[in-house]
mmCIF file of all heavy atoms in Angstrom:
data_model
loop_
_atom_site.group_PDB
_atom_site.id
_atom_site.type_symbol
_atom_site.label_atom_id
_atom_site.label_comp_id
_atom_site.label_asym_id
_atom_site.label_seq_id
_atom_site.Cartn_x
_atom_site.Cartn_y
_atom_site.Cartn_z
ATOM 1 N N LEU A 566 -50.708 6.612 10.004
ATOM 2 C CA LEU A 566 -51.710 5.788 9.340
ATOM 3 C C LEU A 566 -52.603 5.095 10.368
ATOM 4 O O LEU A 566 -53.828 5.014 10.189
ATOM 5 C CB LEU A 566 -51.013 4.759 8.454
ATOM 6 C CG LEU A 566 -51.860 4.069 7.384
ATOM 7 C CD1 LEU A 566 -52.457 5.095 6.443
ATOM 8 C CD2 LEU A 566 -51.007 3.077 6.614
ATOM 9 N N ILE A 569 -54.914 7.729 11.717
ATOM 10 C CA ILE A 569 -55.956 8.075 10.743
ATOM 11 C C ILE A 569 -57.041 7.006 10.718
ATOM 12 O O ILE A 569 -58.245 7.311 10.681
ATOM 13 C CB ILE A 569 -55.331 8.267 9.348
ATOM 14 C CG1 ILE A 569 -54.509 9.559 9.313
ATOM 15 C CG2 ILE A 569 -56.390 8.286 8.258
ATOM 16 C CD1 ILE A 569 -53.660 9.719 8.077
ATOM 17 N N ARG A 570 -56.648 5.742 10.734
ATOM 18 C CA ARG A 570 -57.652 4.659 10.740
ATOM 19 C C ARG A 570 -58.535 4.755 11.990
ATOM 20 O O ARG A 570 -59.762 4.573 11.926
ATOM 21 C CB ARG A 570 -56.935 3.304 10.706
ATOM 22 C CG ARG A 570 -56.374 2.925 9.354
ATOM 23 C CD ARG A 570 -56.063 1.433 9.313
ATOM 24 N NE ARG A 570 -55.573 1.027 7.996
ATOM 25 C CZ ARG A 570 -54.293 0.893 7.677
ATOM 26 N NH1 ARG A 570 -53.370 1.132 8.592
ATOM 27 N NH2 ARG A 570 -53.938 0.538 6.462
ATOM 28 N N LEU A 573 -60.866 7.754 11.688
ATOM 29 C CA LEU A 573 -61.942 7.511 10.725
ATOM 30 C C LEU A 573 -63.038 6.655 11.340
ATOM 31 O O LEU A 573 -64.236 6.840 11.065
ATOM 32 C CB LEU A 573 -61.385 6.851 9.464
ATOM 33 C CG LEU A 573 -60.577 7.745 8.513
ATOM 34 C CD1 LEU A 573 -59.936 6.906 7.409
ATOM 35 C CD2 LEU A 573 -61.479 8.817 7.893
ATOM 36 N N GLN A 579 -62.962 12.719 8.399
ATOM 37 C CA GLN A 579 -63.821 12.341 7.288
ATOM 38 C C GLN A 579 -63.013 12.383 5.996
ATOM 39 O O GLN A 579 -62.105 13.193 5.842
ATOM 40 C CB GLN A 579 -65.022 13.308 7.183
ATOM 41 C CG GLN A 579 -65.949 13.243 8.381
ATOM 42 C CD GLN A 579 -67.106 14.216 8.267
ATOM 43 O OE1 GLN A 579 -67.218 14.936 7.265
ATOM 44 N NE2 GLN A 579 -67.967 14.242 9.280
ATOM 45 N N TRP A 580 -63.360 11.482 5.060
ATOM 46 C CA TRP A 580 -62.659 11.414 3.766
ATOM 47 C C TRP A 580 -63.532 12.071 2.709
ATOM 48 O O TRP A 580 -64.650 11.634 2.462
ATOM 49 C CB TRP A 580 -62.398 9.952 3.392
ATOM 50 C CG TRP A 580 -61.320 9.842 2.345
ATOM 51 C CD1 TRP A 580 -61.419 10.179 1.038
ATOM 52 C CD2 TRP A 580 -59.989 9.387 2.532
ATOM 53 N NE1 TRP A 580 -60.246 9.985 0.394
ATOM 54 C CE2 TRP A 580 -59.327 9.469 1.302
ATOM 55 C CE3 TRP A 580 -59.268 8.911 3.636
ATOM 56 C CZ2 TRP A 580 -58.006 9.107 1.118
ATOM 57 C CZ3 TRP A 580 -57.957 8.544 3.458
ATOM 58 C CH2 TRP A 580 -57.326 8.642 2.207
ATOM 59 N N THR A 581 -63.048 13.144 2.120
ATOM 60 C CA THR A 581 -63.798 13.867 1.100
ATOM 61 C C THR A 581 -63.042 13.773 -0.223
ATOM 62 O O THR A 581 -61.948 13.202 -0.298
ATOM 63 C CB THR A 581 -63.965 15.353 1.493
ATOM 64 O OG1 THR A 581 -62.676 15.973 1.487
ATOM 65 C CG2 THR A 581 -64.591 15.475 2.879
ATOM 66 N N LEU A 582 -63.634 14.355 -1.259
ATOM 67 C CA LEU A 582 -62.968 14.353 -2.560
ATOM 68 C C LEU A 582 -61.664 15.139 -2.517
ATOM 69 O O LEU A 582 -60.750 14.894 -3.306
ATOM 70 C CB LEU A 582 -63.896 14.951 -3.634
ATOM 71 C CG LEU A 582 -65.162 14.148 -3.934
ATOM 72 C CD1 LEU A 582 -66.049 14.901 -4.927
ATOM 73 C CD2 LEU A 582 -64.782 12.780 -4.495
ATOM 74 N N GLY A 584 -59.704 15.121 0.034
ATOM 75 C CA GLY A 584 -58.787 14.447 0.944
ATOM 76 C C GLY A 584 -59.357 14.342 2.332
ATOM 77 O O GLY A 584 -60.579 14.362 2.523
ATOM 78 N N LEU A 585 -58.484 14.234 3.321
ATOM 79 C CA LEU A 585 -58.912 14.093 4.699
ATOM 80 C C LEU A 585 -59.374 15.439 5.254
ATOM 81 O O LEU A 585 -58.804 16.489 4.956
ATOM 82 C CB LEU A 585 -57.751 13.559 5.552
ATOM 83 C CG LEU A 585 -57.365 12.095 5.302
ATOM 84 C CD1 LEU A 585 -56.070 11.765 6.028
ATOM 85 C CD2 LEU A 585 -58.476 11.163 5.752
ATOM 86 N N ASP A 609 -49.650 0.315 4.589
ATOM 87 C CA ASP A 609 -50.718 -0.479 3.978
ATOM 88 C C ASP A 609 -51.972 0.394 3.849
ATOM 89 O O ASP A 609 -52.540 0.834 4.857
ATOM 90 C CB ASP A 609 -51.000 -1.701 4.854
ATOM 91 C CG ASP A 609 -52.025 -2.628 4.227
ATOM 92 O OD1 ASP A 609 -52.417 -2.378 3.069
ATOM 93 O OD2 ASP A 609 -52.428 -3.596 4.894
ATOM 94 N N PHE A 610 -52.396 0.654 2.612
ATOM 95 C CA PHE A 610 -53.570 1.514 2.361
ATOM 96 C C PHE A 610 -54.794 0.703 1.944
ATOM 97 O O PHE A 610 -55.769 1.277 1.457
ATOM 98 C CB PHE A 610 -53.252 2.524 1.241
ATOM 99 C CG PHE A 610 -52.107 3.446 1.542
ATOM 100 C CD1 PHE A 610 -50.857 3.212 1.003
ATOM 101 C CD2 PHE A 610 -52.274 4.547 2.362
ATOM 102 C CE1 PHE A 610 -49.800 4.057 1.262
ATOM 103 C CE2 PHE A 610 -51.223 5.403 2.630
ATOM 104 C CZ PHE A 610 -49.977 5.163 2.085
ATOM 105 N N LYS A 611 -54.787 -0.614 2.120
ATOM 106 C CA LYS A 611 -55.816 -1.444 1.480
ATOM 107 C C LYS A 611 -57.220 -1.179 2.008
ATOM 108 O O LYS A 611 -58.201 -1.375 1.297
ATOM 109 C CB LYS A 611 -55.470 -2.919 1.637
ATOM 110 C CG LYS A 611 -55.437 -3.420 3.065
ATOM 111 C CD LYS A 611 -55.042 -4.883 3.110
ATOM 112 C CE LYS A 611 -55.004 -5.417 4.539
ATOM 113 N NZ LYS A 611 -54.599 -6.824 4.598
ATOM 114 N N ASP A 612 -57.384 -0.751 3.273
ATOM 115 C CA ASP A 612 -58.727 -0.509 3.802
ATOM 116 C C ASP A 612 -59.100 0.967 3.769
ATOM 117 O O ASP A 612 -60.056 1.388 4.415
ATOM 118 C CB ASP A 612 -58.834 -1.039 5.231
ATOM 119 C CG ASP A 612 -57.774 -0.443 6.139
ATOM 120 O OD1 ASP A 612 -56.804 0.157 5.598
ATOM 121 O OD2 ASP A 612 -57.888 -0.564 7.373
ATOM 122 N N LEU A 613 -58.297 1.780 3.025
ATOM 123 C CA LEU A 613 -58.611 3.202 2.898
ATOM 124 C C LEU A 613 -59.160 3.478 1.501
ATOM 125 O O LEU A 613 -58.835 2.766 0.541
ATOM 126 C CB LEU A 613 -57.347 4.039 3.140
ATOM 127 C CG LEU A 613 -56.735 3.955 4.548
ATOM 128 C CD1 LEU A 613 -55.472 4.804 4.621
ATOM 129 C CD2 LEU A 613 -57.728 4.415 5.610
ATOM 130 N N PRO A 614 -59.964 4.519 1.367
ATOM 131 C CA PRO A 614 -60.551 4.822 0.041
ATOM 132 C C PRO A 614 -59.505 5.165 -1.014
ATOM 133 O O PRO A 614 -59.706 4.918 -2.192
ATOM 134 C CB PRO A 614 -61.458 6.032 0.322
ATOM 135 C CG PRO A 614 -61.703 6.009 1.798
ATOM 136 C CD PRO A 614 -60.498 5.401 2.425
ATOM 137 N N ALA A 615 -58.368 5.758 -0.596
ATOM 138 C CA ALA A 615 -57.325 6.160 -1.556
ATOM 139 C C ALA A 615 -55.996 6.246 -0.808
ATOM 140 O O ALA A 615 -55.939 6.152 0.427
ATOM 141 C CB ALA A 615 -57.666 7.496 -2.196
ATOM 142 N N ARG A 616 -54.940 6.423 -1.569
ATOM 143 C CA ARG A 616 -53.624 6.593 -0.961
ATOM 144 C C ARG A 616 -53.498 7.997 -0.379
ATOM 145 O O ARG A 616 -54.116 8.943 -0.858
ATOM 146 C CB ARG A 616 -52.512 6.380 -1.990
ATOM 147 C CG ARG A 616 -52.464 4.965 -2.545
ATOM 148 C CD ARG A 616 -51.367 4.832 -3.578
ATOM 149 N NE ARG A 616 -50.045 4.954 -2.984
ATOM 150 C CZ ARG A 616 -49.350 3.925 -2.477
ATOM 151 N NH1 ARG A 616 -49.870 2.710 -2.505
ATOM 152 N NH2 ARG A 616 -48.160 4.117 -1.961
ATOM 153 N N ILE A 617 -52.704 8.117 0.636
ATOM 154 C CA ILE A 617 -52.501 9.411 1.294
ATOM 155 C C ILE A 617 -51.304 10.108 0.677
ATOM 156 O O ILE A 617 -50.250 9.504 0.491
ATOM 157 C CB ILE A 617 -52.278 9.217 2.812
ATOM 158 C CG1 ILE A 617 -53.518 8.587 3.448
ATOM 159 C CG2 ILE A 617 -51.950 10.547 3.485
ATOM 160 C CD1 ILE A 617 -53.326 8.211 4.906
#
Side-chain angles (χ1 to χ4, degrees):
L566 197 59
I569 289 170
R570 284 197 178 97
L573 286 172
Q579 295 179 1
W580 199 288
T581 66
L582 294 175
L585 289 170
D609 184 6
F610 300 101
K611 63 182 180 181
D612 56 346
L613 296 178
R616 296 179 68 88
I617 298 173

